[in-house]
Amino acid sequence: MTKPLAELTPLDPEMFDPVCPSPLVPFRVGDKWAAMILRCLQDGSRRFSELKGPLRGVTAKSLTQSLRRLERDGFVTRKAYEDTKLGVEYSLTPLGRGLLGPLDAACEWTREHWDELIDAHEAHMNKGG
């Protein structure tokens, strides 16, 4: 059960390490931002502006596209309020919540193989790739 929006702790703008480039993570759900969006929503609903904080480097257009894809694929729901102060909230669906366990496993695997991933990425870049 997720907490209501008013009870959630604000997202930490530093929750994603800027030194951890997402292209090195070999597992993807959707696009570059999707897994991080799922993480941001794991404790409850969030507004668009809240999601932008920890997702440094995401443009409004990219975030909108990622959220739309996640909604289309059944991982996220979008709730628009008539009161413009409340705006729009995004939440995980049960299907989206089901991805958190595999995402945890993928993150752990990445931590265990971090040096190898960096070495492979650098070797590829040095070849001109």
Side-chain angles (χ1 to χ4, degrees), residues 1-65:
M1 188 78 181
T2 62
K3 297 178 186 176
L5 185 61
E7 295 177 19
L8 288 175
T9 305
L11 289 172
D12 179 0
E14 304 297 320
M15 72 187 282
F16 300 113
D17 186 346
V19 180
C20 175
S22 61
L24 289 183
V25 180
F27 306 104
R28 294 261 171 96
V29 174
D31 58 39
K32 173 181 178 176
W33 302 103
M36 291 184 278
I37 291 169
L38 295 174
R39 278 281 178 236
C40 288
L41 296 174
Q42 70 184 1
D43 293 326
S45 300
R46 299 289 180 170
R47 292 186 182 102
F48 186 89
S49 59
E50 289 180 281
L51 295 171
K52 284 191 72 170
L55 299 174
R56 288 181 295 267
V58 70
T59 63
K61 180 180 178 180
S62 292
L63 181 54
T64 297
Q65 290 173 340

Side-chain angles (χ1 to χ4, degrees), residues 13 22 32 37 40 52-53 58 62 67 73 78 83 91 95 105 108 117 123 125 129:
S22 61
K32 173 181 178 176
I37 291 169
C40 288
K52 284 191 72 170
V58 70
S62 292
L67 286 164
D73 294 341
R78 178 184 187 274
D83 182 351
S91 306
L95 187 64
E108 180 59 32
L117 291 166
M125 295 308 288

